[in-house]
C-alpha cells in the first residue's frame, strides 16, 4: 500500500509538471482521438503528431505503424507525449473467444479474467495499449443486437464479470508488458434502448438506474478501470455524452473515478443530431463541460475548444482536469518509459494457451436447454452414422460472432470438422449444409438433408444466426430462428429420427416453434475459434454441459422485457389465475380472465429461465439453512445447501443463491442473484456449498437515492437456476 501511494504521488507530480509546460493547443490535442485506420496513418497524422494535436489514435493494428506513430509523437513533438492506441478487443484479439454473452453463460469470472488477459497479451503485441472493453451494459431485451456484447440481464453476474474483465485486461500492474487499459462502456443506460432498437432513447427512473444499470459500472470503477466510454443514447432527455449528472455527479463526485472518459465514436457531434445543441461548437461545449475528457473520432474538440476557452465559456480548469485524467492513464501505463512495442516480448497470437482458454470458455458457455430421454450424450459405440445438417455446421467466420476486427478466421475449427476428428472411422458422418446462410429462404436443398437424416441413426442440426445478425446496429424485431430454419427442423423431424439442435447465435432466441420438434438443444452462442471442439466434446459426453443462461429466453417477442428479477406487482400471476386466449369462457368473458399480470396469448413464464442449464447428471439440492435466523445490521450470515450428484458422470454445476427483500420503502424484485459458485461433483458425492452474505449485500437505493439496507424479512433460495424452490428465511434487525 505504502509503495502504491508513493508511486501514485510520483505520477501526480510528474503529471502536474508536464501540464504546467503545455500550451492550450497541446492540452486540447491530448483530448482528441483520431481514426488512424489503414490508409491514413502515419502520413496523414504526422503533422498533427508533431504539433501535439493528437492524444490518442484508434484502429491501427500494424505494430510497425504504431511504433512509427509513437516515434513521431515521442521524438518529434515538443513535449514528447506518447499516444494511447485504442482498439475494440472485445472477445479476443487474434484468438477469438466466445462472445461476451457466451462468456457470461460460463458464470466463471476467473476464466473470463484469463480470457481477457490473453486477449490483452495478443493485442499488446500489435502496439495496442487500450481496449474499448468490457461492455457492461445490462440488457433485458434480446432484440437489441448488442446484447451479444453484454453480460446479460443480471446486476450481480454483470458486476462479477466487469471486475473479472477489468482485472484481466489491466492486470495488477498496468505498466507491465502485456497489460492494457480497459474501458467500461457505454455509460450509461444503453442496454435499455426502447424496443431494443440500437441507439434509441432510454428512459430510466433514477432508482432503477442506480439499482440496476449503474451498478456494473461502479464495480468496474472499484476494480480500477482506467477509462469509461459514454453511450450513444439519450438518457431521460439528456444524451449521455452531454450528461453531467452521469459524468460529474455520479462518476466523479460520488464514485471518485480517477481515470478518463472518452466519448463514443463521434457522439460529441451527434449531440446536435439528438437535438441538444445547434452546432458542433455547442456540442463541444456541452460534452466538455459535462465531463467528456476525450473525443473519439470527431473534430468538435479539435476545432472549437480553443475558441470556447478563449471566449471564457469553458474555464481552463475544466481543460486541465480533463488533460490530467488522460495523462494519468499514460503515466500509469508506463508509456513514457516504454513507448515502443517489441512483439518478440509477447507470446505469439493463437498460441496453445490462448486456444486452450478459448476452448474452455466455449465448453463452459454452452447451455443444454433440453435433453429428452437422455438423447445426449452420444456414444460412438452405439452409433454407426450421423447426419450433420445446417448453415452453421461448417462456417468458420460465422461461429466467431460480432466485433472480431482482428480475429484470425484460420484458427477457427468448425463443429463439423471437430465431430469428424472425434469420431474418426467409428461413425459415418454425412453432411448437408441445406441453407446457404441462416437467413436463407431457399428450400431446394432440404430434400438432400432429409435423405441423409433418413439414412442415419440421428440428425444434428446446426442452426441459429450468422454473425452479422447481432452486434452494433444489428437489432431484430423478430427473434425466431431466421429464414426457413423452422421449416428445415420440421422436415427433419418428419423422418422420425432423433433430432439434436445445436444453436449458434448472438442473442437469446424465441424457440417456441421448434422446441417440441427436437429431442435436445445445445445453445452455443457464437462460441469463437474453438467452438467446434467444445461442441463435439459436449455432444459425445467427453464433458458434461455446465453453461447457465445469463438472460431469460422469452416464449414470444411480445413478452420482452422479461427477466427474472421483476417486481411482484399487485396482481401477480400464478398457474391458477391465468387464462389462455383459447380457453376464454364465451358466456362470461369478463369474469373468467383471471385478473392478474399476464398475456392472454402466452404463458406468463419464460421458455427458459435465467440461470437455467441442464447437465448429463442430475443435481439434487437439499437442506438449505442459515447460520442464524436473525442477523444484526452490519453482520454476515452464512447460507448453505447440500448438492448431491445423483447421476453417473462427474460434472460441474453452477450453484446459485437468490434473495428477496419482502417489504421495503421501494418495492424490491421477487428474486435477486446474490452469489454463485461453479463446483465439480463426482457421482454420489454430496457437497455443501456455503455463501457468506453481508447485510450490505442486500442494500439498495431507496427514495432518497441513498444506498441502504432496511431491516426486515428476507427469503433465500439455493438452486441450479432462478426457478430454485429450496428456500429458507432470515431477518435483519437493527438493535443499535
Ligand atoms: C461503438 C463502441 C466502439 C467504438 C469504437 C462505436 O460505434 O459503439 O462500442 O468501442 O465504436 O470502435
Amino acid at each position: 500500500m505504502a509503495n502504491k501511494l508513493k508511486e501514485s504521488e510520483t505520477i501526480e507530480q510528474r503529471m502536474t509538471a508536464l501540464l504546467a509546460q503545455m500550451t492550450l493547443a497541446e492540452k486540447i490535442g491530448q483530448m482528441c482521438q483520431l481514426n488512424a485506420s489503414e490508409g491514413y496513418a502515419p502520413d496523414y497524422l504526422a503533422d498533427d503528431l508533431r504539433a501535439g494535436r493528437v492524444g490518442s489514435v484508434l484502429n491501427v493494428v500494424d505494430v510497425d505503424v504504431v511504433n512509427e506513430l509513437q516515434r513521431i509523437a515521442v521524438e518529434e513533438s515538443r513535449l514528447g507525449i506518447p499516444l494511447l492506441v485504442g482498439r475494440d478487443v472485445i472477445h479476443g484479439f487474434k484468438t477469438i473467444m466466445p462472445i461476451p454473452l457466451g462468456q457470461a453463460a460460463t458464470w466463471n469470472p476467473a476464466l473470463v479474467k484469463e480470457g481477457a488477459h490473453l486477449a490483452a497479451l495478443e493485442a499488446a503485441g500489435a502496439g495496442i495499449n487500450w481496449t474499448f472493453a468490457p461492455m457492461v451494459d445490462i440488457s433485458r431485451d434480446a432484440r437489441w443486437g448488442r446484447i451479444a456484447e453484454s453480460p446479460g440481464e443480471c446486476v450481480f453476474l454483470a458486476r462479477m464479470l466487469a471486475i473479472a474483465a477489468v482485472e484481466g485486461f489491466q492486470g495488477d500492474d498496468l505498466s507491465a508488458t502485456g497489460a492494457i487499459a480497459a474501458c467500461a462502456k457505454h455509460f450509461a443506460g444503453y442496454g435499455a434502448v426502447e424496443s431494443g432498437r440500437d441507439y434509441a432513447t432510454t428512459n430510466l427512473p433514477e432508482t432503477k438506474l442506480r439499482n440496476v444499470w449503474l451498478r456494473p459500472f461502479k464495480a468496474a470503477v472499484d476494480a480500477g478501470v482506467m477509462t469509461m466510454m459514454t453511450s450513444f443514447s439519450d438518457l431521460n432527455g439528456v444524451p449521455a455524452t452531454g450528461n453531467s449528472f452521469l459524468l460529474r455527479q455520479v462518476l466523479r463526485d460520488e464514485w471518485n473515478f480517477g481515470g478518463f472518459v472518452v466519448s463514443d465514436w463521434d457522439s460529441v457531434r451527434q449531440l446536435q443530431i439528438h437535438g441538444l445543441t445547434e452546432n458542433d461548437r455547442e456540442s463541444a461545449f456541452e460534452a466538455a463541460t459535462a465531463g467528456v475528457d476525450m473525443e473519439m473520432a470527431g473534430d468538435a474538440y479539435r476545432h472549437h475548444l480553443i475558441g470556447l476557452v478563449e471566449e471564457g465559456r469553458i474555464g481552463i480548469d475544466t481543460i486541465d482536469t480533463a488533460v490530467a485524467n488522460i495523462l494519468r492513464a499514460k503515466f500509469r501505463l508506463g508509456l513514457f518509459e516504454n513507448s515502443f512495442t517489441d512483439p518478440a516480448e509477447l507470446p505469439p497470437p493463437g498460441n496453445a494457451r490462448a486456444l486452450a482458454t478459448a476452448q474452455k470458455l466455449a465448453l463452459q458457455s454452452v447451455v443444454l436447454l433440453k435433453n429428452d430421454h437422455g438423447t445426449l450424450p452420444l456414444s460412438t459405440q452405439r452409433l454407426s452414422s450421423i447426419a450433420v445438417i445446417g448453415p452453421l455446421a461448417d462456417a468458420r467466420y460465422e461461429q466467431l460472432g460480432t466485433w472480431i476486427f482482428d480475429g484470425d478466421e484460420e484458427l477457427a475449427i468448425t463443429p463439423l470438422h471437430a465431430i469428424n476428428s472425434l469420431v474418426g472411422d467409428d461413425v459415418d458422418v454425412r453432411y448437408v449444409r441445406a441453407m446457404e446462410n441462416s437467413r436463407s429462404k431457399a428450400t431446394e436443398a432440404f430434400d438432400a438433408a432429409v435423405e441423409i437424416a433418413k439414412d442415419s441413426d440421428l440428425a444434428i442440426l446446426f442452426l441459429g444466426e450468422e454473425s452479422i445478425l447481432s452486434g452494433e446496429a444489428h437489432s431484430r424485431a423478430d427473434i425466431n430462428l431466421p429464414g426457413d430454419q423452422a421449416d428445415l427442423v420440421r422436415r427433419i423431424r418428419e423422418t422420425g429420427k432423433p433430432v439434436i439442435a445445436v444453436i449458434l447465435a448472438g442473442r437469446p432466441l424465441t424457440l417456441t416453434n421448434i422446441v417440441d420438434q427436437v429431442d435436445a438443444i445445445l445453445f452455443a452462442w457464437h462460441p469463437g475459434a474453438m467452438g467446434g471442439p467444445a461442441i463435439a466434446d459436449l455432444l459425445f459426453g467427453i464433458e458434461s454441459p455446465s453453461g447457465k443462461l445469463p438472460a431469460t429466453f422469452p416464449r414470444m417477442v411480445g413478452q420482452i422485457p422479461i427477466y427474472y428479477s421483476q417486481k411482484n406487482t399487485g396482481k401477480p400471476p400464478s398457474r391458477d389465475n391465468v387464462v389462455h386466449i383459447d380457453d376464454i369462457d364465451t358466456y362470461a368473458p369478463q369474469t373468467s380472465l383471471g385478473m392478474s399480470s399476464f398475456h392472454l396469448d402466452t404463458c406468463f413464464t419464460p421458455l427458459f429461465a435465467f440461470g437455467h442449464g441442464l447437465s448429463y447428471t442430475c443435481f439434487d439440492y437439499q437442506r438449505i439453512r442459515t447460520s442464524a435466523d436473525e442477523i444484526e445490521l452490519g453482520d454476515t450470515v452464512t447460507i448453505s445447501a447440500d448438492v448431491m450428484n445423483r447421476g453417473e458422470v462427474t460434472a460441474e454445476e453452477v450453484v446459485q443463491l437468490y434473495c428477496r427483500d419482502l417489504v421495503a420503502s421501494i418495492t424490491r424484485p421477487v428474486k435477486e442473484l446474490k452469489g454463485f459458485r461453479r463446483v465439480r461433483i463426482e457421482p454420489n458425492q454430496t457437497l455443501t456449498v456455503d455463501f457468506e452474505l453481508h447485510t450490505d449485500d442486500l442494500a439498495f437505493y431507496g427514495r432518497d437515492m441513498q444506498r441502504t439496507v432496511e431491516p426486515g424479512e428476507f427469503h433465500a433460495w439455493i438452486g441450479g437456476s432462478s426457478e430454485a424452490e429450496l428456500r429458507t428465511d432470515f431477518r435483519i434487525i437493527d438493535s443499535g
Side-chain angles (χ1 to χ4, degrees):
M1 186 66 200
N3 274 346
K4 270 211 164 150
L5 208 62
K6 211 164 149 217
E7 177 197 275
S8 61
E9 265 170 18
T10 324
I11 285 179
E12 292 302 305
Q13 284 160 0
R14 288 174 72 191
M15 191 198 60
T16 312
L18 180 57
L19 199 59
Q21 298 174 52
M22 295 172 81
T23 63
L24 178 58
E26 284 166 339
K27 288 177 183 173
I28 288 165
Q30 288 301 308
M31 298 171 70
C32 299
Q33 182 186 54
L34 299 190
N35 178 15
S37 50
E38 230 181 315
Y40 292 111
D43 295 351
Y44 151 87
L45 284 169
D47 288 345
D48 282 328
L49 290 171
R50 286 188 195 107
R53 284 194 293 260
V54 193
S56 171
V57 293
L58 80 163
N59 293 348
V60 52
V61 287
D62 177 332
V63 68
D64 296 331
V65 177
V66 174
N67 278 335
E68 175 59 5
L69 295 176
Q70 291 287 22
R71 194 197 59 75
I72 301 173
V74 170
E75 294 175 6
E76 297 184 18
S77 75
R78 193 176 75 90
L79 295 171
I81 304 175
L83 290 167
L84 284 162
V85 181
R87 185 65 163 172
D88 290 280
V89 183
I90 307 298
H91 51 113
F93 183 65
K94 295 281 182 205
T95 310
I96 296 298
M97 321 242 168
I99 54 169
L101 189 62
Q103 295 196 31
T106 67
W107 297 54
N108 189 340
L111 194 57
V112 169
K113 178 175 167 178
E114 169 78 353
H117 171 60
L118 295 170
L121 291 177
E122 287 190 353
I128 290 155
N129 51 39
W130 177 20
T131 176
F132 305 123
M135 195 245 242
V136 301
D137 299 311
I138 300 264
S139 176
R140 296 173 172 181
D141 193 333
R143 293 171 296 185
W144 191 42
R146 300 198 81 169
I147 195 173
E149 294 170 62
S150 90
E153 73 179 47
C154 170
V155 176
F156 187 86
L157 184 57
R159 285 175 52 228
M160 296 305 121
L161 296 168
I163 296 167
V166 170
E167 290 180 352
F169 288 125
Q170 299 196 163
D172 295 337
D173 172 9
L174 205 47
S175 68
T177 307
I180 62 177
C183 180
K185 69 187 189 184
H186 306 83
F187 198 57
Y190 194 22
V193 284
E194 281 177 352
S195 78
R197 235 177 338 114
D198 208 1
Y199 315 129
T201 298
T202 61
N203 287 294
L204 292 166
E206 193 174 332
T207 44
K208 198 166 180 184
L209 183 69
R210 287 184 180 277
N211 283 317
V212 179
W213 268 267
L214 294 186
R215 306 248 7 250
F217 287 95
K218 174 68 163 60
V221 167
D222 291 344
V225 74
M226 211 51 249
T227 74
M228 304 269 279
M229 186 187 294
T230 61
S231 170
F232 281 129
S233 47
D234 170 328
L235 176 67
N236 302 333
V238 184
T241 303
N243 196 314
S244 61
F245 163 73
L246 286 174
L247 303 177
R248 292 217 180 274
Q249 182 181 324
V250 173
L251 189 58
R252 301 286 179 188
D253 300 346
E254 296 180 20
W255 296 356
N256 288 316
F257 175 59
F260 74 88
V261 175
V262 64
S263 76
D264 202 345
W265 185 281
D266 209 15
S267 68
V268 174
R269 295 194 318 166
Q270 287 166 18
L271 293 177
Q272 182 190 350
I273 308 174
H274 274 284
L276 189 79
T277 62
E278 273 183 10
N279 51 40
D280 287 356
R281 192 180 185 81
E282 292 310 307
S283 297
F285 173 77
E286 290 294 335
T289 50
V292 175
D293 302 311
M294 182 184 282
E295 180 185 15
M296 177 193 286
D299 53 18
Y301 278 16
R302 191 174 160 86
H303 291 154
H304 301 292
L305 278 187
I306 292 195
L308 287 163
V309 175
E310 284 169 354
E311 270 170 33
R313 288 186 64 202
I314 296 185
I316 192 67
D317 289 358
T318 304
I319 302 293
D320 282 352
T321 308
V323 178
N325 292 337
I326 295 163
L327 292 179
R328 191 176 292 122
K330 294 188 177 187
F331 279 112
R332 293 231 7 237
L333 279 160
L335 293 182
F336 288 86
E337 292 73 30
N338 296 305
S339 313
F340 303 106
T341 302
D342 176 2
E345 287 178 3
L346 291 148
N351 59 73
R353 181 173 163 203
L355 291 170
T357 301
Q359 182 164 343
K360 198 163 177 195
L361 275 163
L363 190 91
Q364 295 191 4
S365 73
V366 177
V367 183
L368 180 62
L369 292 178
K370 73 171 267 186
N371 189 19
D372 287 353
H373 322 297
T375 305
L376 290 175
L378 307 176
S379 149
T380 45
Q381 277 100 54
R382 289 203 298 267
L383 288 174
S384 60
S385 57
I386 54 179
V388 172
I389 297 166
L392 295 170
D394 195 27
R396 282 210 285 208
Y397 178 81
E398 307 306 342
Q399 74 187 47
L400 301 181
T402 185
W403 284 110
I404 50 149
F405 285 157
D406 305 294
D408 185 351
E409 194 186 325
E410 298 297 310
L411 294 173
I413 302 175
T414 66
L416 177 66
H417 187 91
I419 291 171
N420 269 316
S421 324
L422 192 146
V423 301
D425 296 334
D426 296 347
V427 181
D428 188 9
V429 178
R430 293 116 188 212
Y431 166 59
V432 170
R433 186 182 179 109
M435 296 170 75
E436 194 188 335
N437 57 46
S438 67
R439 291 162 291 136
S440 168
K441 292 193 173 148
T443 55
E444 295 82 45
F446 286 12
D447 288 345
V450 168
E451 282 315 305
I452 61 161
K454 272 189 191 153
D455 288 348
S456 304
D457 296 338
L458 56 88
I460 311 176
L461 269 57
F462 286 87
L463 307 169
E465 293 180 322
E466 61 206 281
S467 100
I468 200 175
L469 297 184
S470 58
E472 184 174 348
H474 298 174
S475 296
R476 296 181 61 203
D478 171 356
I479 55 167
N480 279 332
L481 286 169
D484 264 339
Q485 294 184 65
D487 203 30
L488 176 64
V489 174
R490 191 182 50 76
R491 292 283 311 277
I492 303 299
R493 182 66 178 175
E494 282 167 5
T495 64
K497 294 294 166 76
V499 182
I500 296 151
V502 180
I503 300 178
L504 285 71
R507 53 163 64 77
L509 297 172
T510 41
L511 300 173
T512 307
N513 58 347
I514 65 137
V515 72
D516 296 330
Q517 310 270 319
V518 298
D519 299 284
I521 305 178
L522 279 173
F523 203 89
W525 318 99
H526 285 136
M530 298 303 282
I535 290 168
D537 281 359
L538 292 170
L539 285 169
F540 288 91
I542 312 292
E543 286 283 341
S544 174
S546 60
K548 297 278 186 174
L549 294 181
T552 302
F553 275 43
R555 292 170 192 274
M556 284 191 190
V557 78
Q559 290 181 299
I560 294 174
I562 180 166
Y563 50 96
Y564 81 94
S565 60
Q566 64 193 0
K567 300 290 186 71
N568 203 32
T569 80
K571 289 173 182 277
S574 71
R575 304 246 170 235
D576 319 321
N577 67 6
V578 297
V579 173
H580 191 268
I581 197 164
D582 298 338
D583 303 325
I584 295 174
D585 181 345
T586 325
Y587 300 101
Q590 292 305 325
T591 50
S592 62
L593 288 188
M595 306 301 281
S596 71
S597 182
F598 71 106
H599 295 108
L600 272 175
D601 43 9
T602 188
C603 184
F604 63 91
T605 57
L607 188 59
F608 297 109
F610 174 84
H612 169 75
L614 304 172
S615 152
Y616 293 152
T617 190
C618 160
F619 294 106
D620 202 1
Y621 284 79
Q622 293 163 346
R623 283 200 343 114
I624 189 167
R625 61 240 183 230
T626 58
S627 56
D629 297 338
E630 266 189 7
I631 44 168
E632 190 69 49
L633 212 56
D635 279 354
T636 299
V637 63
T638 305
I639 304 171
S640 319
D642 297 343
V643 189
M644 182 180 181
N645 179 346
R646 281 207 184 280
E648 282 159 20
V649 294
T650 302
E652 294 197 1
E653 166 75 331
V654 178
V655 180
Q656 304 161 38
L657 168 73
Y658 294 87
C659 289
R660 176 173 180 188
D661 184 348
L662 290 179
V663 180
S665 56
I666 65 161
T667 55
R668 306 292 301 130
V670 290
K671 263 181 190 168
E672 286 182 299
L673 185 72
K674 292 291 172 190
F676 59 87
R677 271 186 56 202
R678 178 177 265 276
V679 292
R680 194 171 184 88
I681 313 184
E682 310 277 327
N684 289 319
Q685 187 195 353
T686 300
L687 206 75
T688 299
V689 179
D690 298 324
F691 293 98
E692 292 247 307
L693 199 65
H694 191 275
T695 56
D696 282 355
D697 298 330
L698 298 161
F700 61 92
Y701 289 90
R703 294 185 203 187
D704 57 0
M705 301 305 151
Q706 299 302 313
R707 216 172 122 71
T708 43
V709 192
E710 292 179 4
E713 293 289 337
F714 290 79
H715 287 341
W717 296 260
I718 292 180
S721 85
S722 60
E723 289 177 328
E725 287 179 350
L726 187 68
R727 194 186 99 196
T728 184
D729 301 341
F730 63 95
R731 162 178 279 275
I732 295 183
I733 53 168
D734 181 10
S735 48

